[in-house]
Amino acid sequence: MTLVGSTTLYLAMRRWLRQRQAWQWWHRRQTDQLHQQAEAIRDDLLQQTFAFRRYLEDTLTTQPDSAQTEQWLERFQAFYHSLERLSDQLSPPFVADSLPLALQFMVSTWQRSHPGLIIQLSVPADWPEQSAENNPAILSIITGLIELLVPAGGCKHQLQLTLERQNNWCTLTFKQVQTQTANSQPLTDTSEVDHLKEIFRSLTAGRLEVVVDDSELVGQLCWQDS
């Protein structure tokens, strides 16, 4: 085998290994999320359902107490919201219809669950309705990036998301003022970001770039719409 052939084979093997590692990481991530959702059903929703059944059985044989009824109505409302959140996690609203609407819903959900998080979102007023093929992958990747940018805790974070389109080229740009400490690892050096780049390229034939510019972290997802 010639030197050129050996080099080509070596580069192909390295790329295959990167893809394999990225997809293994992605599969573990998706599996962990499904496990957490299943645990939420078993540990919370199913137990509440059993409690509701017992309450209804009791009210059939006894005179219902107004205070107790009010308490159970509040618990039922909480149960409803839990089901709503789980449904949104399993299939984000608007993902099959409109990327701007799906992003707006995602931003509102993140800000409710992270009180210290502020996300400024800018989307076009008009967006082609047929441009939905890549929406699930785009939402998954941007969610993965936000999870890396905003660790658990009450720290304040401010992100800017901008969705743009020029002809059939789409870009989703995000910025964050760097808040890392001296001992923290820059996001651009993490294996998770490398995996997200590979997954995004594989799913959309697009490109994900993440760089640090002065005190800002800037990233951009670029893809060609069909």
Side-chain angles (χ1 to χ4, degrees):
M1 183 179 293
T2 65
L3 178 60
V4 174
S6 298
T7 302
T8 302
L9 179 61
Y10 171 74
L11 294 176
M13 285 295 297
R14 284 193 60 184
R15 182 164 190 80
W16 178 81
L17 286 173
R18 284 199 305 270
Q19 292 174 340
R20 183 170 180 267
Q21 291 172 350
W23 280 105
Q24 287 177 335
W25 172 82
W26 185 255
H27 176 70
R28 289 194 300 269
R29 182 177 181 272
Q30 300 297 101
T31 301
D32 288 343
Q33 290 178 346
L34 290 174
H35 175 73
Q36 292 172 7
Q37 291 163 355
E39 287 295 301
I41 293 174
R42 283 191 290 265
D43 296 340
D44 182 20
L45 299 182
L46 288 180
Q47 291 186 15
Q48 290 191 50
T49 302
F50 177 76
F52 291 148
R53 177 183 174 183
R54 292 297 302 271
Y55 170 71
L56 291 174
E57 289 174 347
D58 291 341
T59 56
L60 291 175
T61 57
T62 61
Q63 184 69 24
D65 178 76
S66 59
Q68 188 181 35
T69 300
E70 183 67 25
Q71 181 183 11
W72 276 101
L73 286 174
E74 292 177 0
R75 293 185 63 176
F76 183 81
Q77 189 70 12
F79 176 75
Y80 173 84
H81 289 312
S82 296
L83 282 176
E84 188 177 39
R85 286 194 299 270
L86 182 61
S87 173
D88 293 341
Q89 291 172 6
L90 292 171
S91 180
F94 312 112
V95 68
D97 304 312
S98 169
L99 182 57
L101 289 178
L103 287 171
Q104 289 171 356
F105 185 87
M106 181 202 72
V107 166
S108 64
T109 301
W110 268 91
Q111 292 188 143
R112 284 198 304 269
S113 60
H114 295 71
L117 177 62
I118 299 175
I119 303 180
Q120 298 176 343
L121 175 64
S122 175
V123 297
D126 55 336
W127 190 264
E129 293 183 2
Q130 69 271 20
S131 305
E133 181 179 353
N134 291 320
N135 288 0
I138 294 164
L139 285 180
S140 294
I141 296 299
I142 196 64
T143 298
L145 286 169
I146 293 178
E147 289 175 349
L148 295 175
L149 288 169
V150 185
C155 299
K156 292 185 178 298
H157 294 270
Q158 184 167 347
L159 304 177
Q160 295 178 353
L161 293 177
T162 304
L163 178 65
E164 298 174 303
R165 180 186 178 95
Q166 186 172 5
N167 297 325
N168 64 337
W169 277 100
C170 308
T171 58
L172 179 59
T173 305
F174 62 91
K175 296 181 180 180
Q176 181 204 33
V177 176
Q178 289 290 81
T179 57
Q180 66 184 41
T181 63
N183 296 325
S184 62
Q185 184 182 16
L187 181 64
T188 51
D189 296 337
T190 61
S191 60
E192 289 87 351
V193 169
D194 291 334
H195 293 331
L196 288 174
K197 290 179 180 180
E198 190 65 44
I199 295 299
F200 185 69
R201 186 197 65 79
S202 299
L203 291 176
T204 68
R207 185 179 73 257
L208 166 62
E209 299 293 341
V210 181
V211 298
V212 176
D213 182 14
D214 295 330
S215 62
E216 284 188 334
L217 183 144
V218 182
Q220 193 170 70
L221 290 78
C222 303
W223 68 96
Q224 191 172 15
D225 209 355
S226 56

